Amino acid sequence: MRAAIIDTPGSVRVGEVPDPKPRDHDVVVAVGACGICGTDLHIADGYFPPTPYPIVPGHEFAGRVVEVGANAPGGFAVGDRVAVDPSLFCGHCGPCRSGRGNLCANWGATGDTVDGAFAEYVAVPAATCYRMPDAMTYQQGALVEPVSCAVHGVRRIGVEAGERFLVLGAGTMGLIMQQLLQRAGAVVTTVDRNTARLGRPRALGAEAAVADVAELDDEKFDAAVDCTGAVAAIEAAFDSLRRGGRLLVFGVAPEDARVSLSPFRIYNDEITVVGSMAVLHSYGAALNLVATGVIDTSSLLTESLPLEQFDDALQLMRSGQGLKTQVLPGPADA
């Protein structure tokens, strides 16, 4: 089969690899759509420590079951249309046993630590597959994973109706986060240095969308969410909080990045700083949010390319053009 292969950091190609074979508890999925995110860039550049090389990346995906392992759970059959949670938890370490599998000591993910879905086919544990409603497209199904990350993030930060939130970043994750927060009753202001992106948060109901926090005239917020991973943005988000405020570090920063936050403010103003790592018991909820239209997927999908143009898709992501770029490895019916 054809697949995108990262042989070593910086070495990306599309080539032939063996067709995947299902283990007893697996299914093989013909990939209909797979989205590119910042993690894929980190993997391509060698900045995602858990990744071994060579690897076929791709962890935001949906498609059609074409083969079922002998003891696969869930009653899946050839032809079932599925969205797939890429999470691979060991189930026996301390975090897993305490219900925090996203912090698994042996953490893995399809497309991050084992071969993923920038390919014609991918083998995955059947237990990670979710049947898609008939009306949901594969491109919408491939958005369930980023939505599930945002659902977990919203649960981590918490939101009460009427609270004022600052969201840093108007890319795919910032817009998903905005929609979830607004659905919960928050009033959202968005900041993004890329002024070409500011129209979308406004169209989705943001109270304001500006290019710099300085444009907000020292307005203070109940909570802030950084969706960029940029040190300056995280620091600006912290500084924007009123006393008793909350900061969610949601964007992925480089492992060696460091921020400067006032410990006195954290103490004296009772500022809460929390992180949010990937997906945790949130994939099914995210699928429902996409299926019922709570998340406006049309505002997020801006580019789709065939598998052979995988490197072009990476470059689009790097450039900041558009929002969600997806690769379509197979025919329309996968």
Side-chain angles (χ1 to χ4, degrees):
M1 70 172 183
R2 303 288 287 174
I5 306 150
I6 302 174
D7 291 301
T8 58
S11 176
V12 179
R13 63 186 173 92
V14 176
E16 293 289 330
V17 298
D19 288 357
K21 298 297 181 185
R23 299 168 299 178
D24 273 3
H25 292 83
D26 288 351
V27 297
V28 174
V29 175
V31 181
C34 185
I36 288 185
C37 87
T39 300
D40 297 307
L41 294 185
H42 296 322
I43 291 171
D45 295 340
Y47 296 134
F48 196 69
T51 298
Y53 298 90
I55 193 167
V56 175
H59 61 274
E60 302 177 0
F61 64 102
R64 176 173 56 86
V65 174
V66 293
E67 192 172 356
V68 180
N71 296 303
F76 289 102
V78 171
D80 285 349
R81 301 167 68 256
V82 295
V84 184
D85 180 351
S87 306
L88 302 173
F89 306 150
C90 75
H92 57 74
C93 69
C96 282
R97 289 181 181 271
S98 64
R100 304 191 71 179
N102 63 323
L103 305 182
C104 175
N106 305 293
W107 183 88
T110 301
D112 293 345
T113 59
V114 300
D115 284 344
F118 287 123
E120 293 179 296
Y121 303 97
V122 60
V124 296
T128 64
C129 295
Y130 291 71
R131 289 180 178 84
M132 292 166 46
D134 291 341
M136 184 182 288
T137 68
Y138 291 127
Q139 289 185 270
Q140 290 173 323
L143 278 169
V144 173
E145 193 277 343
V147 173
S148 70
C149 292
V151 169
H152 177 53
V154 169
R155 291 172 177 171
R156 288 282 292 159
I157 190 67
V159 55
E160 294 185 12
E163 285 192 311
R164 306 185 71 82
F165 267 74
L166 179 67
V167 173
L168 282 295
T172 303
M173 296 312 304
L175 294 179
I176 292 172
M177 187 65 71
Q178 175 190 338
Q179 293 183 66
L180 291 178
L181 292 170
Q182 289 176 172
R183 184 73 173 189
V187 178
V188 175
T189 292
T190 297
V191 176
D192 195 302
R193 294 193 303 176
N194 184 346
T195 56
R197 287 183 165 179
L198 297 180
R200 282 190 171 86
R202 292 174 183 142
L204 289 169
E207 182 181 45
V210 299
D212 194 299
V213 173
E215 297 178 47
L216 299 174
D217 297 325
D218 292 324
E219 182 179 356
K220 299 301 181 184
F221 295 85
D222 298 296
V225 180
D226 175 68
C227 297
T228 71
V231 167
I234 295 169
E235 292 174 346
F238 180 85
D239 290 342
S240 75
L241 296 173
R242 63 179 43 144
R243 300 191 75 186
R246 312 186 303 285
L247 170 62
L248 174 64
V249 180
F250 185 75
V252 181
E255 188 178 21
D256 61 353
R258 297 292 183 269
V259 296
S260 178
L261 306 180
S262 165
F264 179 79
R265 271 210 74 200
I266 293 173
Y267 146 74
N268 190 62
D269 293 352
E270 294 194 348
I271 303 294
T272 301
V273 180
V274 298
S276 178
M277 162 61 180
V279 181
L280 182 65
H281 311 311
S282 52
Y283 199 90
L287 189 144
N288 289 335
L289 291 168
V290 173
T292 56
V294 171
I295 298 298
D296 179 2
T297 57
S298 65
S299 67
L300 307 174
L301 295 169
T302 55
E303 196 74 45
S304 58
L305 296 173
L307 179 61
E308 299 298 325
Q309 292 180 244
F310 175 72
D311 191 56
D312 293 336
L314 283 180
Q315 298 314 314
L316 277 172
M317 179 73 185
R318 289 187 196 281
S319 72
Q321 297 179 48
L323 291 170
K324 178 57 68 178
T325 296
Q326 292 183 337
V327 169
L328 311 181
D333 63 352

